[in-house]
Amino acid sequence: MFNHLLSLLIWLPVAGAIPVLLAGSARPSLARWLSLLVAVLTFVVSLFLLVQYNPTGAAMQLVESHLWIASWGVHYGLAVDGISVALIVMTTFVGILVVAGAWEVIQDKPHQYMAAMLILEGLLIGVFCATDALLFYALFEAILIPMFILIGIWGGPRRVYATLKFFIYTFFGSVFMLIALLYLYQKAHTFDLATLAALPLTFKEQAWIFFAFLIAFAIKVPMVPVHTWLPDAHVEAPTGGSVVLAAVMLKVGTYGMLRFILPIVPDAGAHFAWLVIVLSLVAIVYIGYVALVQEDMKKLVAYSSVAHMGFVTLGIFIAFMLVREQGHTDMALLGMQGAMVQMISHGFVSGAMFTCIGVMYDRTHTRLIKDYGGVINVMPWFGFFYVLFAMANCGLPGTSGFVGEFMVILSSFSASPWIALFAAFTLIIGAGYTLWLVKRVLWGEIGNQHVAEMKEINARETFVLGAFAAAVLALGIWPQPLVHLMDGSVAQLVQQLAIHKI
């Protein structure tokens, strides 16, 4: 089994979606239990990655390679490093919570909803372990389909607008990526990522390829100014769709930067690092203020996601400045580690925040902040979880939200105190919009009759929120296992930053 562990992880949820679909709308209970069984099995299999993977090595491990398209030299190539393992385990963990969270909520075609979620999970796992550029691209595009279906069928009143905007934005960026890959293939006659990383390229070639990749991945993150599809997608998506979108799908963009920009076009990456750093700081500061004025809870958290993902891109590209201009490899390593920890942390915190909003929406069918007030008086246990996740969103020490951001700010200070100052603004702005949200929703007198009739969270909801809480606290209190898991891989990436191709 271990020889094909990655294939099993990809195809188990995809194949598991077939019996879920066959259960049909006539047997919704069977479809739900089958979905949960498949999700749990996928998570259990993913834990074997932690057993099999050797974190002290920098090379890709658990390698699978089979000729796929012989005429083009395309391989079905899979392998993982520590970053991939962390993202895959997080994906399978969130997969269980998404299925459990939708148990009673999705009443229309639950078998199709659950099947779409399982297929999306399998495709995302494939993205995180693909070592052939064309296979990566195919999976990169394929994840759009189940998400398009999830928002388009089970979304809100403006779901058609949101799905089209989401699809057009992301597909537009993918076109540039495909052009860059075809150019690289024309020079290397292979799509193997390791071979492409060793391909000699002039600066002009690197610059064009850099911007092609940057457009594709920046839309996926998303970065300013190509972020406007995200709030609409989140607002219209069902709760499970928002959780997967924020917790996992956004990470595909930053993961792509690590796999394509850093090793293939290092000189262009170093030259244009300032641009990504500026855009990251704009996301951290400006988008925080945009979040502050939102009236819809989902939009507020969606803009918050853009700001927090700005820390990931900042940590990745500040490493270029530290290595190339100052020779501070230790601080570059710290910044890159912080970016990776922030990726995982944001997955848990944002997923938890959207789940909390979904819990309230299921009871009142409104996401507007003004329609709440005093919720903690009728739902004290829910209030406990909501405050915990809000504190993590602010970056409170002891929660996962603090660890990655602090590491990135610390490394940024070595590069430039001004960059660190602007980055640290998120602690103030984030506290502003998050605490104000909590004050208006949870505290005070009961706002209206709809709030008075809200029921406390049930056992299923307690399990989902409790699992998120355990992840947020575990990573916040003891981040060392995650840092150790990714240490060898991050060190390898930092070494690649120093490589000159010209």
Side-chain angles (χ1 to χ4, degrees):
M1 183 183 76
F2 294 132
N3 292 333
H4 302 284
L5 187 59
L6 299 179
S7 289
L8 180 62
L9 277 168
I10 295 169
W11 298 109
L12 177 59
V14 174
I18 297 173
V20 171
L21 278 173
L22 293 177
S25 56
R27 292 173 289 179
S29 180
L30 177 60
R32 293 185 178 102
W33 281 108
L34 282 173
S35 301
L36 184 60
L37 175 63
V38 173
V40 170
L41 283 175
T42 307
F43 175 66
V44 171
V45 173
S46 72
L47 295 180
F48 282 101
L49 287 177
L50 300 175
V51 177
Q52 291 295 110
Y53 180 76
N54 177 15
T56 60
M60 302 294 281
Q61 300 176 32
L62 301 174
V63 178
E64 296 181 38
S65 183
H66 308 282
L67 191 61
W68 181 20
I69 306 174
S71 57
W72 293 353
V74 180
H75 285 77
Y76 172 79
L78 307 174
V80 290
D81 62 1
I83 300 167
S84 304
V85 171
L87 288 169
I88 290 171
V89 173
M90 181 187 73
T91 303
T92 59
F93 176 80
V94 170
I96 296 175
L97 303 185
V98 166
V99 170
W103 202 265
E104 299 169 0
V105 178
I106 303 297
Q107 296 295 328
D108 180 34
K109 305 182 184 74
H111 62 297
Q112 295 180 11
Y113 177 91
M114 297 295 187
M117 278 294 181
L118 291 174
I119 292 170
L120 179 58
E121 180 181 352
L123 295 174
L124 285 166
I125 293 170
V127 168
F128 294 136
C129 58
T131 58
D132 185 278
L134 195 63
L135 176 63
F136 179 94
Y137 178 80
L139 294 167
F140 185 82
E141 290 296 284
I143 59 177
L144 297 179
I145 300 170
M147 183 55 73
F148 185 91
I149 293 170
L150 286 166
I151 301 175
I153 296 178
W154 293 278
R158 300 178 70 240
R159 59 186 180 272
V160 174
Y161 167 78
T163 49
L164 286 175
K165 190 174 183 180
F166 162 69
F167 191 86
I168 291 170
Y169 261 75
T170 50
F171 193 75
F172 172 79
S174 300
V175 171
F176 290 93
M177 181 183 177
L178 180 60
I179 293 170
L181 291 180
L182 291 176
Y183 180 82
L184 289 169
Y185 175 79
Q186 178 264 333
K187 290 184 71 72
H189 305 293
T190 181
F191 287 104
D192 178 62
L193 284 175
T195 305
L196 296 180
L199 184 67
L201 295 167
T202 66
F203 179 77
K204 184 178 180 180
E205 289 174 317
Q206 288 191 49
W208 283 106
I209 294 169
F210 170 83
F211 282 106
F213 285 149
L214 182 64
I215 292 169
F217 297 131
I219 291 173
K220 212 77 167 186
V221 171
M223 295 177 65
V224 176
V226 288
H227 64 286
T228 56
W229 64 268
L230 185 66
D232 292 311
H234 271 308
V235 167
E236 300 305 322
T239 300
S242 287
V243 172
V244 173
L245 180 59
V248 186
M249 283 190 70
L250 303 189
K251 314 305 178 291
V252 171
T254 47
Y255 181 80
M257 292 178 181
L258 299 175
R259 291 288 176 255
F260 287 82
I261 292 179
L262 267 63
I264 297 176
V265 289
D267 299 299
H271 185 78
F272 296 109
W274 64 270
L275 174 63
V276 181
I277 291 170
V278 169
L279 293 176
S280 300
L281 292 174
V282 170
I284 291 169
V285 179
Y286 168 69
I287 298 299
Y289 282 112
V290 173
L292 198 61
V293 299
Q294 297 306 310
E295 299 177 354
D296 185 302
M297 288 187 287
K298 264 196 168 184
K299 270 198 173 181
L300 189 151
V301 178
Y303 281 114
S304 169
S305 289
V306 177
H308 287 297
M309 288 302 290
F311 266 96
V312 181
T313 52
L314 176 61
I316 293 171
F317 282 88
I318 202 74
F320 272 114
M321 183 182 294
L322 288 164
V323 172
R324 291 290 185 102
E325 297 180 14
Q326 302 177 10
H328 291 168
T329 55
D330 290 344
M331 297 310 294
L333 185 64
L334 180 68
M336 192 77 79
Q337 285 174 332
M340 300 305 101
V341 171
Q342 177 66 5
M343 273 208 292
I344 304 301
S345 169
H346 179 263
F348 294 137
V349 176
S350 64
M353 291 291 288
F354 280 114
T355 301
C356 286
I357 294 170
V359 167
M360 290 188 286
Y361 181 81
D362 294 338
R363 288 159 171 75
T364 62
H365 300 290
T366 178
R367 291 181 299 268
L368 296 180
I369 298 170
K370 65 181 179 64
D371 293 332
Y372 291 91
V375 171
I376 202 165
N377 295 297
V378 292
M379 301 176 69
W381 274 111
F382 170 78
F384 163 76
F385 285 117
Y386 196 46
V387 169
L388 171 63
F389 299 136
M391 293 301 100
N393 202 48
C394 294
L396 183 75
T399 65
S400 63
F402 171 76
V403 181
E405 291 182 1
F406 179 72
M407 294 167 77
V408 173
I409 291 171
L410 202 58
S411 67
S412 298
F413 191 85
S414 292
S416 168
W418 288 106
I419 294 176
L421 177 64
F422 280 108
F425 257 98
T426 191
L427 302 175
I428 301 170
I429 303 168
Y433 61 70
T434 305
L435 294 178
W436 196 30
L437 171 67
V438 171
K439 175 185 178 295
R440 289 178 289 170
V441 172
L442 287 186
W443 307 127
E445 300 296 325
I446 294 176
N448 53 59
Q449 187 61 30
H450 294 296
V451 174
E453 294 173 356
M454 292 173 72
K455 295 180 180 179
E456 182 61 288
I457 52 176
N458 56 33
R460 175 184 57 82
E461 292 165 331
T462 303
F463 164 74
V464 174
L465 294 176
F468 274 124
V472 167
L473 290 173
L475 183 54
I477 295 170
W478 194 32
Q480 177 57 29
L482 177 62
V483 173
H484 176 66
L485 174 67
M486 299 188 290
D487 200 28
S489 306
V490 172
Q492 175 73 10
L493 286 174
V494 172
Q495 289 176 10
Q496 289 178 336
L497 299 181
I499 295 174
H500 293 266
K501 286 192 173 185
I502 53 175

